[in-house]
Structure formats: structure tokens, C-alpha cells
Amino acid sequence: MITAEDFIPSPYQNTIENGQFHWSAPSNIALVKYWGKKEHQIPANPSVSFTLNHCKTITSLVFAKKDSDEISFDLLFEGKPKEDFKPKIQKFFERTLKYLPFLTDYHFTIDTQNTFPHSSGIASSASGMAALAMNLMSLEKTLNPEMTDAYFFQKSSFLARLGSGSACRSVKGKVIVWGNHEDISGSSDLFGVEFPTQIHNIFHNYQDTILLVDKGEKQVSSTVGHDLMHDHPFAERRFAQAHENLSKIKKVLENGNLDDFIKIVESEALTLHAMMMTSLPYFILMKPNTLEIINKIWKFRNDTKIPVCFTLDAGANVHVLYPEKVAVEVLKFIQAELTAFCDNGQYICDLLGAGSKLIMNN
Ligand code: DP6
């Protein structure tokens, strides 16, 4: 079994004075949710997600050798300094220094931008942390050119997880499992792995239309929410349920049974929010329009038998999931009946994607 110690590198063969890398990493949407964690970003239960294609963070990392042994970096968002992102990156560097000892050798300039509108309520921490981890691994690969691709991607996911748990599922596509699960060979609490068997054709180019219900700041961050799963009255049952749902959805992803897919995915979304409503302190992240949309989706599905369903992340926005072959009908329905409940009528059309991409190498 791979342990965290396996990601501590041996002394590097090469040196490099300065340079630059440039990576994009996508967002992802969980089908079985990660909610609750232990020390060192170890998830309380396994999760599985679809990697998205269009919603991405694009990050460049410029590095130059320096003398002091402090962590030192500048952070830019769309080319302009962004002080409020710095503490999260500082913490990330501190957590990963043990695994990337070169971090104190360089001054870094990190410039990052998203393809989705900022403050859209879409989690950018997953794509953001993954894009940064990819860049740092490109630098490590320059210092140790013998590194295998398998190690490169596994360690990228391992590092991304230390920045934000769900980020470890944004390194690769198209379906990623994170967390130990008895039915998924090679699964690990330390990094995400690609779904191990063939996925049914119905999931090819599966669509995710993200309805932007509320673009405001969340009242409760995911980190606080995860913490409230300690001492939560339903925690143990919930963690066991996630294991059960992962076993079930594994079969569904293989056999393409969309009735079962819908039941698992919608139940997971509502369970996530039920955990929020039953923690102490309790909180609600759904908005009235979230519920309006859910009811409309249920009615449409009942009337037309078109297999469209929803999922939610830790916010009010709704992800509408459906097969590519019904995309025309579903988009018509979204435009006619759901955009009225979106902030400024805004939504984003996305689909399953292949994971992070190298844009520029040194
Ligand atoms: C509801 O990965 O954002 O989206 O590890 O504290 O950074 P941290 O939390 P984060 O939590 C995501 C929770 C979720 C479910 C999921 O993506 O599985």
C-alpha cells in the first residue's frame, strides 16, 4: 500500500535556476459526496466524481532561485495581486514542504485565472489547487527527470488533496474515485484514481449544465462544514452509506442503468444538505430557487421520461446531469423553465472532461 512517506523525494539529480510552467485543471462534480474529514485531509468516506471540461483554472508558475530559506511567493489573479488568496496558498506550501523540499529554494509568482465567472459560486478551490499542484510537479520532474508519468500524476493528486480535498479529483478525467473502497482496486485516501473499469457508453460526453442560483459568498465554508461532521449524530451511518452508494454507482457506471443512477445521485445531493441541516450549529445553503428547480426537474422527468437529474455541491447552485443524446430537449427545458430561477438567468454548459493539461513547459 502506498503511504504518504512514499511521496518524500530522494535528493534531486538536476538543478534549475529559473523558468516557468503553465497548466490548466478542471473543476469536478461529485456523484457520491466527500463530507467529513480526518487529520491531514484524509476523507471520512470515499467519493466519486465526474471531471468537467470547460470550467477550469489556468495557472502559470514562474520560479527564480533565491538565498533565504523562507517560503516566498506573489499571487496574482488575472494578472493583478490578490492578497486574500495568499493565506490558503501559504498553508498549502507549508503542508507540502515535506514532499517538495525545493519550495524554499525559489521565489514563485503564481498567476491564475478561471474560465468561469468569478464569484459564480462554483468551487474554484478544486481546479485552483489542482492547477498549482501540476505546475509544482512539472518543476519537480525537471529536478528529477527519471520520474514516471504514473508517479507524476499520483503525486499531483496527493499534493492537490493537501490544498483542498476535492482537488485531488481534478488531476485526471473522466471519472475519479478518491478514498479507500473495497470494490475499487488501487483506491486510496491519499489521492484520486481513475475509475478502474469500462464506463457504459451512455456516460460518454455526459452533460452537466450548472444553474447559477446564487453567486454570493457562502455563509458557511466547506472546511467548517466538514468539521461539523465530528460529533454529528448521523455521521457514522452517513459514512457507511457513502461506501454502499459507491458500490452501487460502480455497477451503474458499468451497466448504464440511468434509473439507478438518478436515485443514487439525487439521494447523495440531498443527504449532503441534510447533513448540513442536522449538524450543530445547523445551516442551510440551498435557496428557495434551488427547490423550485428541483421540483421542476422532477415534474419534467415524470412527464417526459427523459433521464435528467440534479446534484448539488456545498452551495445553492444546481448541476443538471443528462446524457448527450437528450441534450437538445433538456436545454430547451432549461431555457424555458429553469433559467428564470437563476441569478441574471445565468448558466454554464459543461460535460465530462479528461483532466488537467500542460499548456507550456518551461
Ligand atoms: C460538497 O474539497 O472544498 O463539494 O477539503 O476543506 O477544501 P476542503 O473541502 P472541499 O469540499 C468539497 C465538498 C463537496 C463534496 C465533494 O466535492 O465531494
Side-chain angles (χ1 to χ4, degrees):
M1 210 180 68
I2 298 171
T3 68
E5 310 310 306
D6 293 317
F7 295 108
I8 299 175
S10 331
Y12 298 124
Q13 326 277 308
N14 278 11
T15 56
I16 182 167
E17 285 301 306
N18 53 54
Q20 177 173 4
F21 296 104
H22 202 169
W23 277 85
S24 76
S27 186
N28 71 75
I29 181 69
L31 306 172
V32 172
K33 307 289 181 180
Y34 149 56
W35 198 244
K37 61 176 156 182
K38 305 174 206 167
E39 245 201 317
H40 307 302
Q41 296 282 100
I42 298 300
N45 63 259
S47 56
V48 61
S49 55
F50 282 162
T51 303
L52 299 183
N53 193 48
H54 300 314
C55 289
K56 293 187 281 206
T57 297
I58 301 164
T59 299
S60 67
L61 180 79
V62 175
F63 55 96
K65 260 264 165 71
K66 65 168 178 60
D67 289 331
S68 71
D69 53 7
E70 304 280 292
I71 289 170
S72 158
F73 67 96
D74 292 316
L75 187 73
L76 309 176
F77 182 68
E78 296 179 343
K80 296 191 200 82
K82 185 88 180 164
E83 288 303 310
D84 39 331
F85 284 2
K86 278 192 94 172
K88 205 162 179 184
I89 306 293
Q90 175 73 29
K91 201 159 150 196
F92 172 71
F93 277 166
E94 285 165 12
R95 276 185 191 166
T96 52
L97 182 58
K98 184 171 167 193
Y99 308 102
L100 301 173
F102 64 78
L103 284 181
T104 47
D105 295 345
Y106 297 96
H107 176 78
F108 296 102
T109 305
I110 304 162
D111 194 348
T112 182
Q113 65 188 84
N114 296 328
T115 58
F116 43 89
H118 30 276
S119 73
S120 57
I122 298 180
S124 59
S125 66
S127 52
M129 286 299 173
L132 181 55
M134 303 312 299
N135 277 307
L136 291 169
M137 282 309 292
S138 277
L139 176 47
E140 181 161 76
K141 194 172 162 69
T142 310
L143 299 170
N144 172 20
E146 273 153 35
M147 183 186 294
T148 64
D149 271 5
Y151 181 89
F152 178 90
F153 286 106
Q154 203 168 65
K155 184 164 173 182
S156 299
S157 176
F158 171 86
L159 295 171
R161 186 195 100 248
L162 294 172
S164 176
S166 55
C168 77
R169 299 187 314 235
S170 277
V171 167
K172 286 270 191 165
K174 295 186 166 172
V175 181
I176 301 294
V177 178
W178 168 39
N180 269 322
H181 188 278
E182 58 177 6
D183 296 350
I184 310 279
S185 64
S187 58
S188 171
D189 284 346
L190 300 178
F191 47 81
V193 298
E194 288 174 81
F195 189 75
T197 46
Q198 182 77 33
I199 284 157
H200 192 275
N201 259 340
I202 194 78
F203 297 108
H204 178 74
N205 284 345
Y206 218 69
Q207 308 283 300
D208 178 5
T209 302
I210 308 162
L211 306 179
L212 304 180
V213 171
D214 184 53
K215 300 194 286 170
E217 269 288 297
K218 273 186 262 177
Q219 302 104 313
V220 181
S221 73
S222 288
T223 305
V224 171
H226 286 294
D227 218 36
L228 293 173
M229 288 302 282
H230 294 119
D231 306 321
H232 191 292
F234 307 132
E236 286 318 310
R237 185 66 201 95
R238 159 60 197 154
F239 301 148
Q241 179 200 41
H243 278 266
E244 292 152 17
N245 280 343
L246 219 146
S247 293
K248 289 184 196 160
I249 209 160
K250 177 176 186 280
K251 292 201 186 83
V252 168
L253 290 168
E254 289 161 351
N255 69 24
N257 183 328
L258 290 186
D259 289 340
D260 289 347
F261 179 79
I262 289 168
K263 274 187 215 142
I264 300 163
V265 168
E266 292 191 345
S267 166
E268 275 289 321
L270 294 178
T271 300
L272 168 70
H273 284 258
M275 290 300 113
M276 299 172 189
M277 289 192 246
T278 49
S279 57
L280 279 175
Y282 41 79
F283 58 106
I284 302 180
L285 296 183
M286 290 188 285
K287 296 283 179 195
N289 282 349
T290 311
L291 297 179
E292 294 284 359
I293 290 169
I294 291 173
N295 280 306
K296 290 270 184 195
I297 291 173
W298 283 344
K299 183 166 188 316
F300 176 78
R301 188 166 77 219
N302 210 20
D303 292 349
T304 62
K305 308 296 172 224
I306 292 176
V308 51
C309 71
F310 71 86
T311 189
L312 307 166
D313 52 21
N317 296 336
V318 182
H319 289 249
V320 187
L321 301 177
Y322 48 98
E324 188 181 29
K325 67 177 184 196
V326 294
V328 173
E329 294 98 301
V330 175
L331 257 179
K332 255 191 226 155
F333 156 67
I334 288 173
Q335 282 155 355
E337 297 197 42
L338 303 185
T339 51
F341 301 108
C342 297
D343 200 343
N344 276 321
Q346 272 185 290
Y347 63 94
I348 299 171
C349 291
D350 212 334
L351 74 162
L352 248 75
S356 55
K357 287 197 182 80
L358 178 66
I359 300 169
M360 194 179 90
N361 203 354
N362 212 358

PDB file of all heavy atoms in Angstrom, residues 232-259:
ATOM      1  N   HIS A 232     -21.271  14.634  14.796  1.00  0.00           N
ATOM      2  CA  HIS A 232     -22.572  14.743  14.127  1.00  0.00           C
ATOM      3  C   HIS A 232     -23.383  13.494  14.453  1.00  0.00           C
ATOM      4  O   HIS A 232     -22.857  12.376  14.373  1.00  0.00           O
ATOM      5  CB  HIS A 232     -22.338  14.868  12.614  1.00  0.00           C
ATOM      6  CG  HIS A 232     -23.540  15.234  11.829  1.00  0.00           C
ATOM      7  ND1 HIS A 232     -24.601  14.382  11.682  1.00  0.00           N
ATOM      8  CD2 HIS A 232     -23.859  16.368  11.138  1.00  0.00           C
ATOM      9  CE1 HIS A 232     -25.527  14.981  10.926  1.00  0.00           C
ATOM     10  NE2 HIS A 232     -25.091  16.176  10.589  1.00  0.00           N
ATOM     11  N   PRO A 233     -24.675  13.643  14.814  1.00  0.00           N
ATOM     12  CA  PRO A 233     -25.425  12.455  15.251  1.00  0.00           C
ATOM     13  C   PRO A 233     -25.560  11.370  14.185  1.00  0.00           C
ATOM     14  O   PRO A 233     -25.723  10.204  14.521  1.00  0.00           O
ATOM     15  CB  PRO A 233     -26.803  13.019  15.631  1.00  0.00           C
ATOM     16  CG  PRO A 233     -26.885  14.363  14.996  1.00  0.00           C
ATOM     17  CD  PRO A 233     -25.475  14.873  14.915  1.00  0.00           C
ATOM     18  N   PHE A 234     -25.493  11.754  12.900  1.00  0.00           N
ATOM     19  CA  PHE A 234     -25.703  10.750  11.845  1.00  0.00           C
ATOM     20  C   PHE A 234     -24.412  10.385  11.106  1.00  0.00           C
ATOM     21  O   PHE A 234     -24.458   9.708  10.074  1.00  0.00           O
ATOM     22  CB  PHE A 234     -26.749  11.248  10.840  1.00  0.00           C
ATOM     23  CG  PHE A 234     -28.034  11.672  11.503  1.00  0.00           C
ATOM     24  CD1 PHE A 234     -28.639  12.894  11.189  1.00  0.00           C
ATOM     25  CD2 PHE A 234     -28.645  10.863  12.460  1.00  0.00           C
ATOM     26  CE1 PHE A 234     -29.815  13.289  11.817  1.00  0.00           C
ATOM     27  CE2 PHE A 234     -29.823  11.254  13.084  1.00  0.00           C
ATOM     28  CZ  PHE A 234     -30.407  12.467  12.776  1.00  0.00           C
ATOM     29  N   ALA A 235     -23.276  10.870  11.610  1.00  0.00           N
ATOM     30  CA  ALA A 235     -22.023  10.731  10.850  1.00  0.00           C
ATOM     31  C   ALA A 235     -21.699   9.285  10.487  1.00  0.00           C
ATOM     32  O   ALA A 235     -21.463   8.982   9.318  1.00  0.00           O
ATOM     33  CB  ALA A 235     -20.869  11.349  11.638  1.00  0.00           C
ATOM     34  N   GLU A 236     -21.693   8.397  11.467  1.00  0.00           N
ATOM     35  CA  GLU A 236     -21.235   7.030  11.184  1.00  0.00           C
ATOM     36  C   GLU A 236     -22.114   6.363  10.139  1.00  0.00           C
ATOM     37  O   GLU A 236     -21.629   5.708   9.217  1.00  0.00           O
ATOM     38  CB  GLU A 236     -21.160   6.192  12.474  1.00  0.00           C
ATOM     39  CG  GLU A 236     -19.967   6.552  13.357  1.00  0.00           C
ATOM     40  CD  GLU A 236     -18.651   6.785  12.587  1.00  0.00           C
ATOM     41  OE1 GLU A 236     -18.284   5.924  11.759  1.00  0.00           O
ATOM     42  OE2 GLU A 236     -18.008   7.846  12.780  1.00  0.00           O
ATOM     43  N   ARG A 237     -23.432   6.573  10.262  1.00  0.00           N
ATOM     44  CA  ARG A 237     -24.354   5.984   9.288  1.00  0.00           C
ATOM     45  C   ARG A 237     -24.118   6.579   7.898  1.00  0.00           C
ATOM     46  O   ARG A 237     -24.151   5.896   6.892  1.00  0.00           O
ATOM     47  CB  ARG A 237     -25.810   6.200   9.740  1.00  0.00           C
ATOM     48  CG  ARG A 237     -26.810   5.525   8.861  1.00  0.00           C
ATOM     49  CD  ARG A 237     -26.689   3.979   8.944  1.00  0.00           C
ATOM     50  NE  ARG A 237     -27.269   3.307   7.796  1.00  0.00           N
ATOM     51  CZ  ARG A 237     -26.590   2.909   6.702  1.00  0.00           C
ATOM     52  NH1 ARG A 237     -25.295   3.111   6.605  1.00  0.00           N
ATOM     53  NH2 ARG A 237     -27.198   2.309   5.710  1.00  0.00           N
ATOM     54  N   ARG A 238     -23.894   7.885   7.870  1.00  0.00           N
ATOM     55  CA  ARG A 238     -23.641   8.559   6.591  1.00  0.00           C
ATOM     56  C   ARG A 238     -22.375   8.012   5.919  1.00  0.00           C
ATOM     57  O   ARG A 238     -22.363   7.758   4.718  1.00  0.00           O
ATOM     58  CB  ARG A 238     -23.540  10.083   6.810  1.00  0.00           C
ATOM     59  CG  ARG A 238     -22.818  10.817   5.723  1.00  0.00           C
ATOM     60  CD  ARG A 238     -23.495  10.657   4.363  1.00  0.00           C
ATOM     61  NE  ARG A 238     -22.600  11.033   3.268  1.00  0.00           N
ATOM     62  CZ  ARG A 238     -22.696  10.572   2.034  1.00  0.00           C
ATOM     63  NH1 ARG A 238     -23.656   9.718   1.689  1.00  0.00           N
ATOM     64  NH2 ARG A 238     -21.841  10.965   1.119  1.00  0.00           N
ATOM     65  N   PHE A 239     -21.307   7.849   6.695  1.00  0.00           N
ATOM     66  CA  PHE A 239     -20.053   7.371   6.095  1.00  0.00           C
ATOM     67  C   PHE A 239     -20.261   5.951   5.539  1.00  0.00           C
ATOM     68  O   PHE A 239     -19.780   5.631   4.456  1.00  0.00           O
ATOM     69  CB  PHE A 239     -18.908   7.411   7.109  1.00  0.00           C
ATOM     70  CG  PHE A 239     -18.629   8.804   7.666  1.00  0.00           C
ATOM     71  CD1 PHE A 239     -18.170   8.987   8.968  1.00  0.00           C
ATOM     72  CD2 PHE A 239     -18.830   9.935   6.881  1.00  0.00           C
ATOM     73  CE1 PHE A 239     -17.906  10.268   9.466  1.00  0.00           C
ATOM     74  CE2 PHE A 239     -18.583  11.222   7.376  1.00  0.00           C
ATOM     75  CZ  PHE A 239     -18.129  11.384   8.675  1.00  0.00           C
ATOM     76  N   ALA A 240     -21.014   5.126   6.270  1.00  0.00           N
ATOM     77  CA  ALA A 240     -21.295   3.765   5.785  1.00  0.00           C
ATOM     78  C   ALA A 240     -22.144   3.836   4.507  1.00  0.00           C
ATOM     79  O   ALA A 240     -21.904   3.092   3.546  1.00  0.00           O
ATOM     80  CB  ALA A 240     -22.014   2.974   6.869  1.00  0.00           C
ATOM     81  N   GLN A 241     -23.091   4.755   4.484  1.00  0.00           N
ATOM     82  CA  GLN A 241     -23.958   4.905   3.294  1.00  0.00           C
ATOM     83  C   GLN A 241     -23.140   5.288   2.066  1.00  0.00           C
ATOM     84  O   GLN A 241     -23.417   4.816   0.953  1.00  0.00           O
ATOM     85  CB  GLN A 241     -25.016   5.981   3.579  1.00  0.00           C
ATOM     86  CG  GLN A 241     -25.961   6.243   2.419  1.00  0.00           C
ATOM     87  CD  GLN A 241     -26.646   7.607   2.548  1.00  0.00           C
ATOM     88  OE1 GLN A 241     -26.021   8.604   2.923  1.00  0.00           O
ATOM     89  NE2 GLN A 241     -27.936   7.622   2.278  1.00  0.00           N
ATOM     90  N   ALA A 242     -22.147   6.141   2.251  1.00  0.00           N
ATOM     91  CA  ALA A 242     -21.313   6.548   1.107  1.00  0.00           C
ATOM     92  C   ALA A 242     -20.597   5.327   0.530  1.00  0.00           C
ATOM     93  O   ALA A 242     -20.500   5.176  -0.695  1.00  0.00           O
ATOM     94  CB  ALA A 242     -20.309   7.619   1.537  1.00  0.00           C
ATOM     95  N   HIS A 243     -20.108   4.437   1.407  1.00  0.00           N
ATOM     96  CA  HIS A 243     -19.475   3.199   0.923  1.00  0.00           C
ATOM     97  C   HIS A 243     -20.481   2.372   0.122  1.00  0.00           C
ATOM     98  O   HIS A 243     -20.170   1.853  -0.953  1.00  0.00           O
ATOM     99  CB  HIS A 243     -18.952   2.368   2.095  1.00  0.00           C
ATOM    100  CG  HIS A 243     -17.612   2.822   2.602  1.00  0.00           C
ATOM    101  ND1 HIS A 243     -16.432   2.286   2.168  1.00  0.00           N
ATOM    102  CD2 HIS A 243     -17.278   3.786   3.503  1.00  0.00           C
ATOM    103  CE1 HIS A 243     -15.422   2.888   2.778  1.00  0.00           C
ATOM    104  NE2 HIS A 243     -15.905   3.810   3.596  1.00  0.00           N
ATOM    105  N   GLU A 244     -21.708   2.262   0.654  1.00  0.00           N
ATOM    106  CA  GLU A 244     -22.748   1.470  -0.037  1.00  0.00           C
ATOM    107  C   GLU A 244     -23.074   2.101  -1.395  1.00  0.00           C
ATOM    108  O   GLU A 244     -23.174   1.418  -2.413  1.00  0.00           O
ATOM    109  CB  GLU A 244     -24.029   1.406   0.816  1.00  0.00           C
ATOM    110  CG  GLU A 244     -23.864   0.603   2.095  1.00  0.00           C
ATOM    111  CD  GLU A 244     -24.803   1.048   3.221  1.00  0.00           C
ATOM    112  OE1 GLU A 244     -25.810   1.755   2.952  1.00  0.00           O
ATOM    113  OE2 GLU A 244     -24.506   0.718   4.385  1.00  0.00           O
ATOM    114  N   ASN A 245     -23.238   3.424  -1.390  1.00  0.00           N
ATOM    115  CA  ASN A 245     -23.595   4.103  -2.648  1.00  0.00           C
ATOM    116  C   ASN A 245     -22.477   3.997  -3.683  1.00  0.00           C
ATOM    117  O   ASN A 245     -22.738   3.940  -4.885  1.00  0.00           O
ATOM    118  CB  ASN A 245     -23.948   5.566  -2.380  1.00  0.00           C
ATOM    119  CG  ASN A 245     -25.374   5.704  -1.867  1.00  0.00           C
ATOM    120  OD1 ASN A 245     -26.178   4.769  -2.007  1.00  0.00           O
ATOM    121  ND2 ASN A 245     -25.698   6.838  -1.261  1.00  0.00           N
ATOM    122  N   LEU A 246     -21.245   3.973  -3.208  1.00  0.00           N
ATOM    123  CA  LEU A 246     -20.149   3.819  -4.176  1.00  0.00           C
ATOM    124  C   LEU A 246     -20.170   2.428  -4.816  1.00  0.00           C
ATOM    125  O   LEU A 246     -19.952   2.290  -6.025  1.00  0.00           O
ATOM    126  CB  LEU A 246     -18.816   4.110  -3.502  1.00  0.00           C
ATOM    127  CG  LEU A 246     -17.872   4.878  -4.420  1.00  0.00           C
ATOM    128  CD1 LEU A 246     -17.005   5.835  -3.639  1.00  0.00           C
ATOM    129  CD2 LEU A 246     -16.989   4.004  -5.257  1.00  0.00           C
ATOM    130  N   SER A 247     -20.484   1.412  -4.017  1.00  0.00           N
ATOM    131  CA  SER A 247     -20.620   0.055  -4.585  1.00  0.00           C
ATOM    132  C   SER A 247     -21.721   0.050  -5.637  1.00  0.00           C
ATOM    133  O   SER A 247     -21.553  -0.513  -6.726  1.00  0.00           O
ATOM    134  CB  SER A 247     -21.007  -0.955  -3.503  1.00  0.00           C
ATOM    135  OG  SER A 247     -19.965  -1.100  -2.596  1.00  0.00           O
ATOM    136  N   LYS A 248     -22.852   0.693  -5.297  1.00  0.00           N
ATOM    137  CA  LYS A 248     -23.999   0.695  -6.226  1.00  0.00           C
ATOM    138  C   LYS A 248     -23.672   1.485  -7.487  1.00  0.00           C
ATOM    139  O   LYS A 248     -23.962   1.059  -8.601  1.00  0.00           O
ATOM    140  CB  LYS A 248     -25.222   1.322  -5.549  1.00  0.00           C
ATOM    141  CG  LYS A 248     -25.837   0.460  -4.471  1.00  0.00           C
ATOM    142  CD  LYS A 248     -27.099   1.140  -3.956  1.00  0.00           C
ATOM    143  CE  LYS A 248     -27.528   0.522  -2.638  1.00  0.00           C
ATOM    144  NZ  LYS A 248     -28.414   1.393  -1.866  1.00  0.00           N
ATOM    145  N   ILE A 249     -23.076   2.657  -7.332  1.00  0.00           N
ATOM    146  CA  ILE A 249     -22.845   3.509  -8.516  1.00  0.00           C
ATOM    147  C   ILE A 249     -21.744   2.909  -9.391  1.00  0.00           C
ATOM    148  O   ILE A 249     -21.726   3.135 -10.603  1.00  0.00           O
ATOM    149  CB  ILE A 249     -22.568   4.982  -8.127  1.00  0.00           C
ATOM    150  CG1 ILE A 249     -23.044   5.886  -9.264  1.00  0.00           C
ATOM    151  CG2 ILE A 249     -21.101   5.238  -7.810  1.00  0.00           C
ATOM    152  CD1 ILE A 249     -23.280   7.314  -8.886  1.00  0.00           C
ATOM    153  N   LYS A 250     -20.873   2.135  -8.818  1.00  0.00           N
ATOM    154  CA  LYS A 250     -19.849   1.460  -9.631  1.00  0.00           C
ATOM    155  C   LYS A 250     -20.548   0.564 -10.653  1.00  0.00           C
ATOM    156  O   LYS A 250     -20.241   0.613 -11.854  1.00  0.00           O
ATOM    157  CB  LYS A 250     -18.901   0.647  -8.745  1.00  0.00           C
ATOM    158  CG  LYS A 250     -17.852  -0.128  -9.542  1.00  0.00           C
ATOM    159  CD  LYS A 250     -16.864  -0.846  -8.650  1.00  0.00           C
ATOM    160  CE  LYS A 250     -15.746  -1.488  -9.452  1.00  0.00           C
ATOM    161  NZ  LYS A 250     -16.123  -2.761 -10.062  1.00  0.00           N
ATOM    162  N   LYS A 251     -21.522  -0.209 -10.183  1.00  0.00           N
ATOM    163  CA  LYS A 251     -22.258  -1.096 -11.102  1.00  0.00           C
ATOM    164  C   LYS A 251     -22.992  -0.280 -12.149  1.00  0.00           C
ATOM    165  O   LYS A 251     -23.011  -0.613 -13.336  1.00  0.00           O
ATOM    166  CB  LYS A 251     -23.261  -1.947 -10.318  1.00  0.00           C
ATOM    167  CG  LYS A 251     -22.600  -2.950  -9.414  1.00  0.00           C
ATOM    168  CD  LYS A 251     -23.556  -4.100  -9.043  1.00  0.00           C
ATOM    169  CE  LYS A 251     -22.936  -5.017  -8.017  1.00  0.00           C
ATOM    170  NZ  LYS A 251     -23.084  -4.518  -6.635  1.00  0.00           N
ATOM    171  N   VAL A 252     -23.624   0.816 -11.710  1.00  0.00           N
ATOM    172  CA  VAL A 252     -24.411   1.659 -12.616  1.00  0.00           C
ATOM    173  C   VAL A 252     -23.517   2.295 -13.688  1.00  0.00           C
ATOM    174  O   VAL A 252     -23.908   2.365 -14.864  1.00  0.00           O
ATOM    175  CB  VAL A 252     -25.137   2.751 -11.802  1.00  0.00           C
ATOM    176  CG1 VAL A 252     -25.716   3.816 -12.702  1.00  0.00           C
ATOM    177  CG2 VAL A 252     -26.215   2.126 -10.935  1.00  0.00           C
ATOM    178  N   LEU A 253     -22.336   2.717 -13.297  1.00  0.00           N
ATOM    179  CA  LEU A 253     -21.427   3.331 -14.277  1.00  0.00           C
ATOM    180  C   LEU A 253     -20.998   2.295 -15.313  1.00  0.00           C
ATOM    181  O   LEU A 253     -20.690   2.632 -16.448  1.00  0.00           O
ATOM    182  CB  LEU A 253     -20.211   3.952 -13.577  1.00  0.00           C
ATOM    183  CG  LEU A 253     -20.525   5.211 -12.754  1.00  0.00           C
ATOM    184  CD1 LEU A 253     -19.339   5.597 -11.868  1.00  0.00           C
ATOM    185  CD2 LEU A 253     -20.903   6.403 -13.645  1.00  0.00           C
ATOM    186  N   GLU A 254     -21.018   1.039 -14.919  1.00  0.00           N
ATOM    187  CA  GLU A 254     -20.664  -0.034 -15.851  1.00  0.00           C
ATOM    188  C   GLU A 254     -21.850  -0.466 -16.710  1.00  0.00           C
ATOM    189  O   GLU A 254     -21.705  -0.724 -17.903  1.00  0.00           O
ATOM    190  CB  GLU A 254     -20.112  -1.241 -15.074  1.00  0.00           C
ATOM    191  CG  GLU A 254     -18.733  -0.964 -14.490  1.00  0.00           C
ATOM    192  CD  GLU A 254     -18.325  -1.913 -13.365  1.00  0.00           C
ATOM    193  OE1 GLU A 254     -19.176  -2.699 -12.891  1.00  0.00           O
ATOM    194  OE2 GLU A 254     -17.156  -1.854 -12.943  1.00  0.00           O
ATOM    195  N   ASN A 255     -23.065  -0.541 -16.074  1.00  0.00           N
ATOM    196  CA  ASN A 255     -24.199  -1.106 -16.835  1.00  0.00           C
ATOM    197  C   ASN A 255     -25.109  -0.038 -17.461  1.00  0.00           C
ATOM    198  O   ASN A 255     -26.011  -0.362 -18.235  1.00  0.00           O
ATOM    199  CB  ASN A 255     -24.997  -2.109 -15.988  1.00  0.00           C
ATOM    200  CG  ASN A 255     -25.757  -1.422 -14.836  1.00  0.00           C
ATOM    201  OD1 ASN A 255     -26.065  -0.237 -14.879  1.00  0.00           O
ATOM    202  ND2 ASN A 255     -26.055  -2.182 -13.799  1.00  0.00           N
ATOM    203  N   GLY A 256     -24.904   1.229 -17.093  1.00  0.00           N
ATOM    204  CA  GLY A 256     -25.657   2.315 -17.730  1.00  0.00           C
ATOM    205  C   GLY A 256     -27.116   2.421 -17.310  1.00  0.00           C
ATOM    206  O   GLY A 256     -27.908   3.085 -18.000  1.00  0.00           O
ATOM    207  N   ASN A 257     -27.484   1.837 -16.166  1.00  0.00           N
ATOM    208  CA  ASN A 257     -28.882   1.926 -15.710  1.00  0.00           C
ATOM    209  C   ASN A 257     -29.161   3.327 -15.129  1.00  0.00           C
ATOM    210  O   ASN A 257     -28.804   3.631 -13.986  1.00  0.00           O
ATOM    211  CB  ASN A 257     -29.131   0.839 -14.653  1.00  0.00           C
ATOM    212  CG  ASN A 257     -30.578   0.826 -14.197  1.00  0.00           C
ATOM    213  OD1 ASN A 257     -31.246   1.864 -14.158  1.00  0.00           O
ATOM    214  ND2 ASN A 257     -31.067  -0.359 -13.875  1.00  0.00           N
ATOM    215  N   LEU A 258     -29.804   4.169 -15.937  1.00  0.00           N
ATOM    216  CA  LEU A 258     -29.966   5.573 -15.524  1.00  0.00           C
ATOM    217  C   LEU A 258     -31.009   5.749 -14.422  1.00  0.00           C
ATOM    218  O   LEU A 258     -30.935   6.716 -13.652  1.00  0.00           O
ATOM    219  CB  LEU A 258     -30.305   6.452 -16.729  1.00  0.00           C
ATOM    220  CG  LEU A 258     -29.144   6.654 -17.730  1.00  0.00           C
ATOM    221  CD1 LEU A 258     -29.543   7.650 -18.815  1.00  0.00           C
ATOM    222  CD2 LEU A 258     -27.853   7.118 -17.054  1.00  0.00           C
ATOM    223  N   ASP A 259     -31.985   4.847 -14.307  1.00  0.00           N
ATOM    224  CA  ASP A 259     -32.931   4.962 -13.186  1.00  0.00           C
ATOM    225  C   ASP A 259     -32.179   4.845 -11.863  1.00  0.00           C
ATOM    226  O   ASP A 259     -32.402   5.630 -10.931  1.00  0.00           O
ATOM    227  CB  ASP A 259     -33.997   3.848 -13.252  1.00  0.00           C
ATOM    228  CG  ASP A 259     -34.967   4.075 -14.402  1.00  0.00           C
ATOM    229  OD1 ASP A 259     -35.057   5.235 -14.872  1.00  0.00           O
ATOM    230  OD2 ASP A 259     -35.593   3.094 -14.851  1.00  0.00           O
TER     231      ASP A 259
END
